[in-house]
Amino acid sequence: MVAALRMTRTTDNSQRTTAACTRPGLYSSLPPYPRPVLLPLLASFQLAAATPRVYNGRDGQTAIATPRIEADVTVDGRLDEPVWRQAALLTGFSLYQPVDKRPAPDSTEVLVWYSSSAIYFGIRAFEPGGTVAATLADRDRISSDDYVEIHLDTFNELNRAFVFGVNPLGVQADGTKSEGGGFIPGSNVSPGQVDLSADYVWQSRGHVTDWGYEVEVRIPFSSLRYRAAAVQQWGIQIDRRVQHSGYEETWTATKRASASFIGQEGFLTGLTGMHHGTVVELNPELTNTATGSACCDTHTRDWRYKSNPQLGGNVRWALGSNFVLNGTVKPDFSQVEADATQIAADERFALFYAEKRPFFVEALDQFNVPNTLVYTRTIVRPDAAAKFTGKVGRADVAVLSAVDEGQTSFNGERPLVDIVRLRQNFGLQSVAGILYSDRVANGRTNRVFGGDTKIVFGEKYFAQFQLAESMTRQNGVTRDGPLWEAVLDGTGRSFGFHYNVLGVSPDFRADNGFVARVGYVQPSISNRYTWYGKQGAAAERFNLFATVAGLWQYDDFFSAKSVLEDRASLQMQLTLRGGWSIGVTPKIAAFAFDPAAYRSLFVTGAAPFTPSDRITTALTSFSVSTPQFQKFAASAGTTIGNDVDFLETSRVNRLDYNASLDLRPSSRLRVSATYVSSAFTRRATGEQSAITRIPRLKVEYQLARPIFVRVVSQYAATDRQPLRDPNSGTILLVGAPGTLSPSAASASNTLRTDWLFSYRPTPGTVFFLGYGGSLSEPDPLAFQRLRRTGDSFFVKGSYVFRLGGA
């Protein structure tokens, strides 16, 4: 008995001594007596209390016989109720980032037990006094704080998990982590990253102590999805982030030399008697936006407003523990926080923005398709939509149907959108899926059929294959074409590789997806080498990532014709002790230009524009970032060198800057400032042809955990000179039928400021009150002759009526 207690004190951190007797834990109520006196007291204490079961992750004790206890506790962030003494104790954490295979330098204890209605976690994170980073943040905004994530693989799939994160004050972040292959559609989340889109109903509280912090968590089974089985086994991982050191620590001894992070989880075994029930959530929404603009021209003082009130709502019906039906009528899809403006260095392609709308984000990972063949932001403003997601055995089922607004169709008719995604797990961690997607209107019909698979083998490797076919009918003409990809990936500790080839036919279209470019074949080869410093060294890790890629026009690839574009890069990143990071990436590339892409351009005399010959570019990027200090964090970077302006196929000098500064002067106030800029200068004449500068400032004050006030102000200054041909001067553009007009200069200097009051006590129950205004001026960043060009007032009220659940 005493030996077990002694193990919980010492195995989690070999450097901890008898001074640890003062820390809380199983013996937190005992005074710090000398060791000879303490041992018999501990023994007698244990005779009177239930014996906890200790599971040391570093020793491989990762199968947890989770105690079922029919009790309830007040979630107040203090683990002082008697039931916590009967919980299973998880200890023995290991370092994962930046270096794995080492004992965690920070001691962590996690207690776990469950009742028929919920699973409970108690977290004690030990840390040197005064180094805990904790703010009263908004939901999902805890990445700058110390925090702990609980990963629950409730279907025991080894490739997908629910994630529940808490900072030292109990502020929540939640979502999903998926390794099924491809981006989570509409989220900008790569495989293996946590997608924070979804919000679940659960309870958490925490507080900072003189030894670290303590958090209490209750997760109702009604907020989870899991198999309908009498006896359950769930995967579990505990992932801790320590900001003062920049370390990531896990309960199981997770290796970097693995094709899967989730696959190295532990297990909650023998779960029985869990009650989920049928849960129905009714979520009516009332919104009103009043938009103001000048009445007749930009100089008039007659300012008028147009109001747009709307009543809509959502319904969510949890059909048992593994199926959910969602519906929405006239939903409010307004953005609470506008998308941060991105700069398109290559203006040939659209920019990708993440999905933020509540109806679409639930179970978003179940519509996960490689190459983003599902992108729900293409459904702009539906009158109504329905979604069904669930699991049958080891198969995922996801169906989405919507009637979208007419402005998104070819002829103004409201298109009908249908998406069906089925995915089957097989083997230990492998998966295969099929996709059907259509967007149907009288003027245009697009259908996509596809299949894909990811096969994990040899622990470190996976192979991924995809084949899709689209058929598009418009104006009585039908075109079809394939998209295909093959990937081979290996993730070793010091050496890794990623080899792939992707082909997209010129006639492939995915109206419900995000395919930025068609008509090409692109093979690429990437190799990684990682060096790890000795424990305690100033340099902890050095990453070297080398990539070589080529791009052919689709038919040219099969005809063995010359490459259209090729590039090589060498990304180097050095991680220093304490969380500092320095990066250098030199890149060289060569670009030829397809004349067919410039058919709408002409030169003097109405002669067709002839693109330049092949252009070679050489760019170097530099970056540096600080650790997440308690009060601030910062980063800066630049890209400099020779590049190409794709709009006029000219050689340019490129100079980019980016910088960010995050300030946390108090636990309630957060200030975030960013600046990005990009400038092109024609190498032939020394004339600056294009420049974009975007400073952005966000200030948030958290009045209480569910209430904050936010101000976001962003200035976008862009200037573009007329397009020029190196030989014949100004380029002519096609205007009205049969006419040509010279390319003209364009400039925009716009300041946008948005104010928001937010009250959000639980997911779905919200009250928003906001104002946004736009101003412009003739000179960039002068702030002297600003003139109001538009504004809007926004109010939203929403309440969730929850029937069933716990």
Side-chain angles (χ1 to χ4, degrees), residues 518-540:
V518 298
Y520 72 94
V521 175
Q522 178 175 279
S524 67
I525 298 173
S526 298
N527 291 287
R528 172 187 57 82
Y529 173 75
T530 303
W531 170 87
Y532 301 94
K534 294 182 179 179
Q535 191 162 0
E540 294 188 318

Side-chain angles (χ1 to χ4, degrees), residues 144-424:
S144 298
D145 297 337
D146 286 280
Y147 63 94
V148 174
E149 290 179 347
I150 301 165
H151 297 204
L152 294 177
D153 176 9
T154 57
F155 288 98
N156 200 23
E157 297 172 303
L158 302 178
N159 59 23
R160 184 170 51 186
F162 291 97
V163 177
F164 300 88
V166 285
N167 79 351
L169 302 181
V171 177
Q172 300 177 353
D174 47 10
T176 55
K177 187 181 184 79
S178 176
E179 296 174 341
F183 284 90
I184 304 298
S187 67
N188 263 348
V189 175
S190 299
Q193 294 181 333
V194 177
D195 175 22
L196 298 176
S197 302
D199 290 329
Y200 307 110
V201 177
W202 51 293
Q203 297 82 46
S204 60
R205 289 289 186 274
H207 66 285
V208 177
T209 70
D210 56 359
W211 46 262
Y213 60 92
E214 185 176 55
V215 182
E216 190 172 21
V217 174
R218 178 184 184 270
I219 305 173
F221 294 131
S222 58
S223 292
L224 295 170
R225 301 187 186 197
Y226 50 89
R227 292 182 298 114
V231 181
Q232 305 264 338
Q233 175 172 294
W234 292 3
I236 183 173
Q237 181 64 276
I238 309 296
D239 191 351
R240 178 182 174 186
R241 308 297 176 96
V242 183
Q243 298 298 355
H244 76 84
S245 62
Y247 288 166
E248 179 179 359
E249 303 162 357
T250 57
W251 169 56
T252 67
T254 309
K255 300 180 295 183
R256 294 173 55 82
S258 175
S260 171
F261 176 89
I262 298 176
Q264 301 179 72
E265 61 194 12
F267 300 96
L268 300 170
T269 63
L271 301 176
T272 61
M274 300 179 298
H275 176 70
H276 185 283
T278 299
V279 181
V280 178
E281 294 179 358
L282 303 176
N283 182 207
E285 299 175 333
L286 176 62
T287 63
N288 189 17
T289 302
T291 304
S293 61
C295 168
C296 305
D297 59 65
T298 58
H299 303 289
T300 184
R301 294 184 179 181
D302 187 5
W303 201 263
R304 297 185 181 179
Y305 286 87
K306 181 179 180 181
S307 180
N308 181 30
Q310 181 170 290
L311 177 63
N314 308 301
V315 60
R316 180 184 184 272
W317 185 7
L319 305 170
S321 64
N322 58 350
F323 292 101
V324 174
L325 177 65
N326 299 82
T328 185
V329 176
K330 294 287 186 182
D332 166 48
F333 286 161
S334 57
Q335 300 296 322
V336 176
E337 181 179 344
D339 296 310
T341 301
Q342 305 176 43
I343 296 179
D346 188 343
E347 298 187 55
R348 298 173 295 173
F349 310 119
L351 295 170
F352 184 95
Y353 288 96
E355 178 65 84
K356 298 180 180 180
R357 302 173 296 179
F359 170 77
F360 288 112
V361 296
E362 178 168 347
L364 199 61
D365 64 294
Q366 291 193 246
F367 292 93
N368 185 6
V369 184
N371 289 298
T372 325
L373 297 188
V374 174
Y375 181 50
T376 54
R377 281 185 69 143
T378 59
I379 305 173
V380 179
R381 192 181 298 275
D383 280 342
K387 179 170 60 175
F388 176 79
T389 54
K391 198 169 186 69
V392 180
R394 299 187 68 190
D396 291 317
V397 179
V399 180
L400 171 65
S401 185
V403 179
D404 206 359
E405 70 175 3
Q407 295 179 2
T408 63
S409 69
F410 178 70
N411 62 354
E413 179 192 3
R414 292 184 176 274
L416 176 63
V417 176
D418 294 296
I419 300 171
V420 179
R421 174 65 167 163
L422 306 177
R423 193 166 54 180
Q424 173 71 49

